[in-house]
Amino acid sequence: MRRISRSFVAVVCMVAAAAIGPVGPAVGQPPGDAPPVITIGWQQLGINPQVALVGDDMTQKIVIPVPEGLQPIAMTGVIESVSNIPSGVIQAQTTDGRPVGAIPIPILAAGQPPVGFSLDIASAPVVRREIQLNLILQVDADTVCRPIPMLVMGNISVSYAGGAQSPQTIEQFLPVIAPVVDLYVDPAPTDAEKITTLRLVAAVSKYYQPAKVTMNVRPLPRTAPGPPPDRDGAARGIVIRDVDEPKPGVQLVTDAGGPFLVFTGRGEALARQAGLFRDDLQKLAQANSFAIESAASETDEKTAKATFGELLLGGSTTVLGENYIYLSLARALAAATKPGIVDVHLLANYTPLDEDEKGTMIVAVGDLVLTTVRLDASGRVDSNFSIPADLAARNQDVTVTVRYEPGPGCTPLTLPMNFDIDPMSTAIVRRGGEVSMGGFSALPQGFIPKFQVAFDGSDPDELAHAATIIELIQRLSSTAMLPELVSLEQAAQSDTSALIIASAESVQRNDLDPPIAPQGDNLSQVDLPSSTVIDIDTGLAALQSYAQNNRTVVLLTASGPWTLAAPLFGYVAGLPEGWRELTGDVLVVGQGADPQNFTVRSDGPTMAGVPSPADVDVHQDSRGWYEWTLLGAGVLVVLAVIGGAIALLRRRSRPIASAETQP
């Protein structure tokens, strides 16, 4: 079993509290001999930020991780909205029906701020380092044939009491709650140390997905005995060393302050050890040393057809009015090497309807309705539909809306309709509908399963910046990404998706052609229909995601000092949903340290060769070539003027696809 130190939990608590606001009890040591109480928010717990209860007796399950040595004592949060509930409670039960507690439902008028709640969960049993709770909406009124009661809870945190323990084996090294991870690498890392670091970042991020993991790349000379003994004992440390060893592998060290792992080996033998976390091999590492002797290279293409059962898709609901099932096809899409049309054969079973009853199933991705099926006396759905390649590439959920209207004479004895997705439903990704994989929303799909990483050596923090970007993207997908280190020239000419960190000169020399291209001498070319050159004498830093060579390129570059890039990462880290909330294809910052997110070319994957409505509107506005010459950090003003003139620098809103949960 995995364990975590008391100091680790305390620091995680403080990080979580800062992220979610002043909800729940404060972190600290209570008076007397009582055990410490710490509170951890939903981001570190890896649970959904919101829980929706729709319909009387509607049940939602919450799974709460429990570190070894700690006991959950309270779940806190807020009730964000209440509709059609004159009075009632939210009952909390164990999965076998034993009562745990109840949350009174407040009366919330329109515009009223959320109301906090606290639920005592100390009596809930801990099984395999987690507790499972069923939350059941119970309304104290006749809800049959009336508007559907609805309630949304959010900002959930859990308070724990007790003292956690330090790991004694490698299997226990990663705790059940996302920690802070410090990766120690030589200040002049070798290629093997770079790729091992990045693969560990992807693997650990995937391990905790969708929880947020703070990962830091820190310098440590290759010959140093270990991390500084006075380092933060709350963090997990991983030392990565490209050295000749009689037996490459991983060693757990627990007698030098906080626990840390040492990864050693030469070249590929070192990189191979990253499979410890990528392939879940740590479950076998029930000792303080471990080594991967060999690993077969992964095939580039898997089967593109699978059943919903194989993809861990499905869902069921009881409906009296309207309810929803959300399906994420990320696993199916990950099996294809290129984005394509997704053909779905959807099977479902439901309670057969009488002639005077009405029922409908609607399947949609975003605002696009894919199919509508009238439900009848057969009790069976057998439907085929296709998801366009550009929408599939956005990694959005498929929403199945089920509606049921009972016949006349509805009474309290009227029963809801049961609806269940058949696990023998299938999804097939086939070639077709070539996609231009631009925009931030092309990720994570554009980097699955493999992508290249290339540096030109100009950014002194290139490894740390690459690690941060990979962690942000991997957090969105339960499909593991596999970075490969290549030269900048190879990445520029390849048709494999790539993460590139390079200077203005390297961008020009390798024809990388981003939406905003640094031209050197503080000049940047903005790829508008009428190409614009701007002069910012203090320079710009930009994080961009665009399509080139039928693949996705994520480019971090600067036309000034690399220190300009720091606010970009703080901006993305501060977004509640991280990378998922970026819109368009450009995040740019100047000396004013005020990052701006907007669209130059594309707000996401689009069908190749098909202009968007915005593109058509822009081209109809015939203009000449503009050249803007500005002094100081006036880039934000320029971009605002350009946006107002040609309506191209626009923000885009899109539904947030729920992250797929690992079993």
Side-chain angles (χ1 to χ4, degrees):
M1 293 184 291
R2 303 183 184 93
R3 304 182 176 96
I4 59 175
S5 66
R6 180 179 305 176
S7 58
F8 155 71
V9 178
V11 170
V12 169
C13 172
M14 288 185 285
V15 173
I20 66 173
V23 177
V27 179
Q29 174 70 47
D33 296 328
V37 176
I38 54 98
T39 302
I40 302 176
W42 60 268
Q43 286 186 318
Q44 267 63 46
L45 293 173
I47 62 178
N48 290 331
Q50 290 185 328
V51 176
L53 299 170
V54 181
D56 193 22
D57 286 330
M58 170 67 179
T59 299
Q60 287 279 22
K61 183 170 76 173
I62 288 185
V63 178
I64 299 173
V66 182
E68 186 75 13
L70 296 181
Q71 173 64 44
I73 57 174
M75 182 177 77
T76 58
V78 297
I79 296 178
E80 298 179 352
S81 64
V82 178
S83 300
N84 306 318
I85 303 177
S87 65
V89 297
I90 303 168
Q91 291 286 352
Q93 299 178 353
T94 61
T95 52
D96 58 0
R98 287 178 289 172
V100 173
I103 303 170
I105 299 175
I107 304 298
L108 289 181
Q112 183 176 340
V115 174
F117 71 84
S118 180
L119 175 69
D120 185 342
I121 58 175
S123 63
V126 178
V127 180
R128 289 190 290 273
R129 300 189 298 279
E130 66 182 25
I131 64 172
Q132 297 186 9
L133 294 178
N134 285 335
L135 301 181
I136 306 169
L137 178 61
Q138 295 185 344
V139 180
D140 297 334
D142 178 12
T143 60
V144 178
C145 308
R146 295 189 179 184
I148 301 172
M150 294 183 290
L151 179 146
V152 176
M153 309 164 66
N155 220 6
I156 294 174
S157 303
V158 176
S159 297
Y160 299 84
Q165 305 173 29
S166 296
Q168 300 303 310
T169 67
I170 294 173
E171 188 271 337
Q172 298 168 355
F173 181 75
L174 291 182
V176 297
I177 295 176
V180 173
V181 178
D182 291 329
L183 299 115
Y184 293 91
V185 190
D186 190 84
T190 65
D191 284 353
E193 289 169 338
K194 290 179 181 178
I195 196 58
T196 303
T197 299
L198 298 180
R199 288 182 179 178
L200 283 172
V201 167
V204 174
S205 298
K206 183 257 183 184
Y207 182 87
Y208 287 106
Q209 187 276 337
K212 179 180 180 180
V213 187
T214 300
M215 307 189 77
N216 306 304
V217 176
R218 302 190 182 279
L220 181 71
R222 203 172 290 115
T223 57
D230 59 347
R231 69 188 181 93
D232 183 0
R236 287 292 194 260
I238 298 178
V239 179
I240 302 160
R241 286 178 171 161
D242 184 10
V243 293
D244 279 322
E245 286 286 336
K247 187 175 181 180
V250 184
Q251 183 76 32
L252 173 65
V253 180
T254 58
D255 58 356
F260 64 92
L261 295 180
V262 182
F263 282 67
T264 57
R266 174 66 75 188
E268 179 56 33
L270 172 63
R272 189 166 56 238
Q273 306 309 314
L276 171 69
F277 296 134
R278 174 180 169 84
D279 300 320
D280 288 338
L281 293 176
Q282 81 278 1
K283 296 176 182 177
L284 305 177
Q286 299 179 25
N288 61 7
S289 63
F290 184 84
I292 300 177
E293 298 294 338
S294 64
S297 60
E298 300 194 13
T299 56
D300 287 337
E301 189 162 2
K302 308 170 187 176
T303 176
K305 178 179 180 179
T307 66
F308 277 25
E310 293 169 333
L311 298 171
L312 304 180
L313 290 176
S316 61
T317 184
T318 57
V319 187
L320 190 59
E322 182 174 286
N323 219 331
Y324 311 92
I325 298 174
Y326 299 99
L327 305 173
S328 173
L329 296 177
R331 287 178 178 267
L333 295 168
T337 56
K338 296 290 184 182
I341 298 170
V342 181
D343 295 323
V344 179
H345 184 197
L346 183 64
L347 304 173
N349 299 300
Y350 58 90
T351 308
L353 304 188
D354 294 333
E355 292 183 357
D356 58 351
E357 297 176 316
K358 298 178 182 178
T360 306
M361 180 196 75
I362 303 170
V363 182
V365 174
D367 296 328
L368 177 66
V369 175
L370 302 173
T371 187
T372 301
V373 177
R374 183 179 297 277
L375 308 182
D376 53 29
S378 69
R380 180 72 170 172
V381 169
D382 189 331
S383 177
N384 292 280
F385 57 87
S386 296
I387 305 174
D390 56 328
L391 287 184
R394 289 175 181 262
N395 200 37
Q396 288 181 294
D397 278 359
V398 175
T399 303
V400 180
T401 302
V402 184
R403 296 171 180 166
Y404 168 58
E405 179 183 333
C410 182
T411 72
L413 298 179
T414 299
L415 296 176
M417 179 185 71
N418 295 318
F419 188 94
D420 182 58
I421 301 290
D422 192 325
M424 294 309 295
S425 303
T426 59
I428 304 172
V429 183
R430 62 179 168 90
R431 297 187 183 278
E434 185 177 346
V435 179
S436 178
M437 290 292 288
F440 291 116
S441 65
L443 283 304
Q445 200 55 48
F447 275 9
I448 295 174
K450 291 184 178 181
F451 66 100
Q452 298 174 338
V453 179
F455 307 116
D456 72 347
S458 62
D459 178 6
D461 296 316
E462 61 186 15
L463 187 58
H465 288 157
T468 300
I469 293 170
I470 290 173
E471 190 278 325
L472 288 166
I473 297 172
Q474 179 68 82
R475 196 190 308 168
L476 303 181
S477 176
S478 57
T479 301
M481 302 188 309
L482 183 62
E484 299 177 320
L485 193 65
V486 300
S487 68
L488 179 55
E489 292 73 20
Q490 183 179 346
Q493 298 170 10
S494 173
D495 61 358
T496 299
S497 293
L499 166 60
I500 299 173
I501 299 179
S503 66
E505 293 76 14
S506 296
V507 170
Q508 284 185 287
R509 185 171 60 252
N510 289 278
D511 297 323
L512 290 177
D513 190 31
I516 294 184
Q519 300 292 301
D521 298 326
N522 303 321
L523 296 176
S524 295
Q525 179 175 337
V526 184
D527 188 23
L528 300 169
S530 298
S531 183
T532 302
V533 176
I534 56 178
D535 182 355
I536 307 297
D537 65 359
T538 52
L540 298 175
L543 178 64
Q544 306 179 68
S545 177
Y546 62 100
Q548 188 180 45
N549 296 349
N550 196 31
R551 46 87 184 254
T552 302
V553 174
V554 174
L555 173 67
L556 177 66
T557 189
S559 60
W562 278 104
T563 52
L564 286 172
L568 297 176
F569 298 101
Y571 175 85
V572 181
L575 298 174
E577 293 292 328
W579 188 280
R580 193 184 297 281
E581 291 195 31
L582 292 178
T583 62
D585 52 10
V586 172
L587 182 65
V588 68
V589 68
Q591 189 182 32
D594 183 15
Q596 295 294 308
N597 182 201
F598 59 93
T599 303
V600 173
R601 289 181 185 161
S602 173
D603 65 355
T606 58
M607 300 301 292
V610 179
S612 68
D615 293 332
V616 174
D617 291 342
V618 169
H619 284 289
Q620 288 175 349
D621 185 5
S622 58
R623 298 177 183 271
W625 289 72
Y626 293 92
E627 189 141 325
W628 301 80
T629 303
L630 302 175
L631 297 177
V635 62
L636 306 183
V637 176
V638 175
L639 296 175
V641 171
I642 297 171
I646 64 175
L648 185 65
L649 309 185
R650 63 192 186 280
R651 286 190 176 272
R652 168 182 55 84
S653 62
R654 62 186 177 92
I656 296 179
S658 63
E660 188 176 347
T661 303
Q662 286 291 318

